[in-house]
Amino acid sequence: MSQPTRQTRLAPADPRAIAEAAACLRAGGLVAMPTETVYGLAADATNDRAVVAIYAAKGRPAFNPLIAHVADAAAAAREGAFDDFARRLAEAFWPGPLTIVAPVAPSCRVSLLARAGLETLALRCPDHPVAQALIAAAGVPLAAPSANRSGRVSPTTAAHVAADLDGRIDWILDGGPARRGVESTIVACLGGRPRLLRPGALTRERIEAALDVALDDATPGGAPLAPGQLASHYAPRARLRLGAHEVAAGEAALDFAGALAHAGATARLDLSPAGVLEEAAAHLFAYLRALDDSGAARIAAAPIPERGLGVAINDRLRRAAAPRGEEA
């Protein structure tokens, strides 16, 4: 499915434009906002469809974990469970170019899609007045990868964003050139010593000095927890059978456009009865989890077209169906 054309509004980031852009975000729209690192493509991180729209606009068919941008450490603590290391990092470097990966808090509102199906999430409090004002006006965490087409250089001006995304997003707020021009540093605080997942605008040395402890490095080949690593997703306990055209006895059905002959299925969910890939992508992780929770030992998944967002959906389904570590 081709990316629908949107009327992109490019405007100086004055209070009126920020208020209108925030209303657009609350309605599920896409807004490019300046931060101190690079321009980010913001959407409501609690809205699955808005998160899917980020991937479609960027032309990147992969559900990598996205950073959720919040107003302050108190807002972050409602989304993530911060240990002592995370709290010390937030106190020392927020607002600023540091992203903290933490376990999901019980009160977390950030969608499974933005988290790539993980029970962890990446959080950042940006040090830019426009980003801060937009987050406050929107009233929700904002998922915001770099505001560029996939594979292109990260944008540091509003003009860079327009060159890549004009007609694909709703708003570009022009806040002048980004101060940092390099993405945030990402540190995981998940018990034990913190791990450096991605180097960035905040140096390792400053972080280690603030914590008085050496950072561990990311485990090669480990599960990706944040942008800058390989994509991952929630893998169900149930075994997944791909490309199915009918459901065997005792299987649950993950359907698409009603393609599965599902008589006898223990449970059934259709990712998109109308065959809309964007809708299927928005439902993917939640439906896999629901079918897994049904108690079925196997899930039969209907074929998904290998085009557009279908490429990402199939990638996630193939990863879910891959042998577990003990079977590989």
Side-chain angles (χ1 to χ4, degrees), residues 18-34:
I18 291 171
E20 292 185 21
C24 177
L25 288 169
R26 290 193 297 272
L30 299 177
V31 176
M33 68 176 183

Side-chain angles (χ1 to χ4, degrees), residues 255-258 269-281 283 287:
D255 210 345
F256 177 75
L269 290 170
D270 195 320
L271 290 168
S272 174
V276 178
L277 291 172
E278 287 79 5
E279 181 181 24
H283 288 156
Y287 282 14

Side-chain angles (χ1 to χ4, degrees), residues 69-166:
H69 293 64
V70 294
D72 51 32
R78 290 192 288 271
E79 309 298 332
F82 277 21
D83 63 11
D84 182 61
F85 284 123
R87 286 189 289 270
R88 288 161 61 187
L89 286 174
E91 182 178 354
F93 299 115
W94 278 1
L98 174 70
T99 294
I100 299 171
V101 175
V104 171
S107 56
C108 179
R109 299 172 295 165
V110 175
S111 80
L112 279 171
L113 284 174
R115 290 161 25 208
L118 299 170
E119 291 304 317
T120 59
L121 78 164
L123 293 158
R124 182 163 100 84
C125 175
D127 184 18
H128 194 288
V130 174
Q132 283 280 335
L134 187 64
I135 293 166
V140 291
L142 299 182
S146 58
N148 57 280
R149 296 289 297 276
S150 180
R152 297 183 183 175
V153 177
S154 294
T156 57
T157 69
H160 294 163
V161 179
D164 266 10
L165 298 178
D166 185 43

Side-chain angles (χ1 to χ4, degrees), residues 175-277:
R179 298 199 312 272
R180 297 283 185 171
V182 64
E183 290 84 357
S184 64
T185 303
I186 303 178
V187 176
C189 296
L190 302 171
R193 285 197 305 186
R195 280 183 286 157
L196 179 65
L197 299 184
R198 182 181 77 180
L202 183 65
T203 66
R204 181 180 193 139
E205 290 77 12
R206 288 189 63 194
I207 296 169
E208 290 179 341
L211 295 178
D212 195 27
V213 65
L215 295 174
D216 282 342
D217 292 316
T219 304
L225 301 173
Q229 301 181 299
L230 292 175
S232 184
H233 82 310
Y234 167 74
R237 296 179 298 273
R239 297 298 188 255
L240 193 62
R241 184 167 63 88
L242 304 184
H245 294 281
E246 58 184 23
V247 180
E251 288 185 323
L254 184 67
D255 210 345
F256 177 75
L260 276 175
H262 56 271
T266 60
R268 174 182 174 269
L269 290 170
D270 195 320
L271 290 168
S272 174
V276 178
L277 291 172

